[in-house]
Amino acid sequence: GEARSGKKRLIAELKQRAAGRSVQVVEGACFEPDRGIPFAPLLDLRGADVTRLLSDQAAPDHDPDQHTRQLFSALLAAVKDMARARRLLLIVEDVHWADDASLELLQRLARGQQSQPIGRD
């Protein structure tokens, strides 16, 4: 959204409603200098051992594409595990600064939401 379009207010309202419904709120943010760092907005996420998963991505010993698929799978599973414990509101601010890997992961997460919700009803 455009500047001054009410994004911050919308996020604050969503967080307030989530708190009233026992929904866990998990936030990440993208920053322009981090655009070249894969999965940078996910480093801020709490509740899952995302940092460990991301540090394990260094120099794969096997096919890089297979390694990327495995990492995506592990990260998606970590987010789903967070949602299993309690309904989840995932907020990623300034996503226009996200790296391609983060965007792809968020897109896969959103696509999976269409067919199989990750939280409880």
Side-chain angles (χ1 to χ4, degrees), residues 41-115:
L42 303 177
L43 294 173
D44 296 335
L45 300 183
R46 292 185 213 145
D49 199 356
V50 174
T51 305
R52 181 190 54 77
L53 289 171
L54 294 175
S55 66
D56 289 348
Q57 76 169 330
D61 294 333
H62 54 280
D63 177 31
D65 290 334
Q66 180 182 359
H67 178 72
T68 299
R69 284 190 300 275
Q70 289 172 342
L71 180 60
F72 268 53
S73 219
L75 288 168
L76 289 170
V79 172
K80 288 179 181 182
D81 285 345
M82 290 168 49
R84 258 187 221 105
R86 218 164 94 201
R87 288 178 17 178
L88 175 69
L89 172 60
L90 174 63
I91 298 169
V92 180
E93 293 203 50
D94 295 320
V95 76
H96 60 279
W97 294 120
D99 62 281
D100 290 340
S102 296
L103 289 174
E104 186 175 347
L105 181 71
L106 292 170
Q107 185 177 34
R108 287 185 187 195
L109 188 60
R111 272 196 207 126
Q113 233 349 65
Q114 292 174 356
S115 62

